[in-house]
Amino acid sequence: MRIEEHPILGKPEVRRTIEFTFDGKIMSGFEGEPIAAALRAAGVMVHRYTKKNHSPRGIFCAIGRCTDCVMVVDGKPNIRTCITPLKEGMTVQTQYGVSAQK
Ligand code: FES
């Protein structure tokens, strides 16, 4: 689901592929890209569920303003994945409510 060639920007530069886990599954992405971009490329649309209604949320603003993309990253809840760079071995989990607890 990645853009392989953009009509204006051209082809993206070659980047190092790394592995991370999403809800226990091993996935891959490009080092330094936003976590949300790697998840989107893998078809993951839901990043969290709201506390009150348990409604699914995912990328909305993509610039770090809305908090819809927050997830539990390396055990820390409320990480804005649209602006957090992906690193080798990261543990990314769907967030339920406002904490790391289900
Ligand atoms: S999508 Fe809005 S803060 Fe990440």
Side-chain angles (χ1 to χ4, degrees):
M1 296 182 74
R2 289 183 185 277
I3 297 172
E4 299 294 332
E5 186 169 343
H6 190 278
I8 296 171
L9 302 175
K11 290 186 177 183
E13 63 188 70
V14 177
R15 292 176 283 181
R16 188 167 87 95
T17 301
I18 59 171
E19 288 189 343
F20 66 102
T21 62
F22 166 65
D23 286 349
K25 290 177 273 183
I26 296 175
M27 305 187 94
S28 62
F30 294 133
E31 185 175 41
E33 72 177 339
I35 295 168
L39 292 174
R40 179 71 178 85
V44 175
M45 304 297 282
V46 176
H47 291 212
R48 71 178 181 99
Y49 289 89
T50 61
K51 182 178 181 182
K52 188 173 181 181
N53 296 321
H54 308 286
S55 301
R57 294 288 184 264
I59 299 172
F60 182 68
C61 74
I63 56 171
R65 297 288 185 192
C66 72
T67 71
D68 270 1
C69 68
V70 298
M71 301 181 85
V72 180
V73 177
D74 291 336
K76 294 180 190 168
N78 305 314
I79 301 297
R80 292 178 181 166
T81 57
C82 70
I83 56 170
T84 303
L86 183 66
K87 295 177 187 163
E88 178 94 54
M90 267 183 159
T91 300
V92 180
Q93 296 169 276
T94 302
Q95 183 165 318
Y96 298 87
V98 293
S99 71
Q101 305 297 318
K102 235 183 186 182

